[in-house]
Amino acid sequence: MEIKKDIWLLILFTASVGRYHNAAVTKKNELYVWGANESGQVGDGSTSDQEEPVLIFSDAKTISLGDRHSAAILTNDDLYVWGKNKNGQVGDGQTANVLQPTKILENIRSVFAQGSHAAAIDESGVLYVWGNNEYGQVGNGTTENVL
């Protein structure tokens, strides 16, 4: 297997695996994403699959990938989410796919993307959950999606 990108030689801080895409944050806070991109989950503004890592942020702290959406916390604690949004998993109040990172929340210390929903905890310990709620996974007493 031929490896063409220098990312494999970089010291990684954290990584995440989505359904068909992957991401890694380096010790220099560079966020790279690659793989399937039909819903914009790579975050490069396109829907073309990326066979090599694409630099998305140079100030990322952490990344979490869902089925076809991505969520990153930057070094200033802003949360950005992008990709498939059919069930509101981007958290922007819409259901159209988002091809580039979109700022959703501020002062976030952790984020968890899974399947078609996501959750984040802010610096005060407040939990935010949004997206697919078919089985009540948002925890708001309904089964309606939270956009």
Side-chain angles (χ1 to χ4, degrees):
M1 181 167 125
E2 183 178 339
I3 298 173
K4 297 181 179 181
K5 281 294 185 186
D6 292 337
I7 189 170
W8 313 119
L9 303 175
L10 296 174
I11 297 173
L12 299 181
F13 177 71
T14 189
S16 185
V17 177
R19 185 169 184 182
Y20 300 112
H21 69 302
N22 300 297
V25 177
T26 70
K27 289 279 190 177
K28 293 182 177 181
N29 298 107
E30 298 166 322
L31 169 62
Y32 292 89
V33 185
W34 63 97
N37 196 27
E38 73 279 356
S39 301
Q41 61 264 45
V42 169
D44 64 348
S46 79
T47 55
S48 300
D49 293 347
Q50 299 299 329
E51 297 173 356
E52 296 180 347
V54 177
L55 178 65
I56 303 300
F57 285 114
S58 58
D59 60 344
K61 188 167 24 175
T62 192
I63 181 73
S64 183
L65 303 181
D67 182 12
R68 290 181 179 92
H69 65 293
S70 306
I73 301 174
L74 303 188
T75 55
N76 66 357
D77 297 329
D78 287 347
L79 173 63
Y80 284 78
V81 186
W82 62 96
K84 188 170 184 175
N85 200 22
K86 178 181 178 183
N87 298 301
Q89 57 265 50
V90 169
D92 65 349
Q94 308 293 317
T95 55
N97 291 346
V98 178
L99 306 183
Q100 293 182 317
T102 300
K103 183 177 171 182
I104 302 300
L105 294 167
E106 298 177 344
N107 301 315
I108 299 300
R109 69 175 182 202
S110 57
V111 64
F112 314 93
Q114 175 64 36
S116 297
H117 62 288
I121 300 172
D122 72 13
E123 293 174 350
S124 300
V126 175
L127 173 67
Y128 300 88
V129 185
W130 62 94
N132 188 349
N133 197 26
E134 181 179 4
Y135 301 104
Q137 57 266 51
V138 171
N140 63 354
T142 74
T143 56
E144 293 181 23
N145 294 342
V146 176
L147 309 179

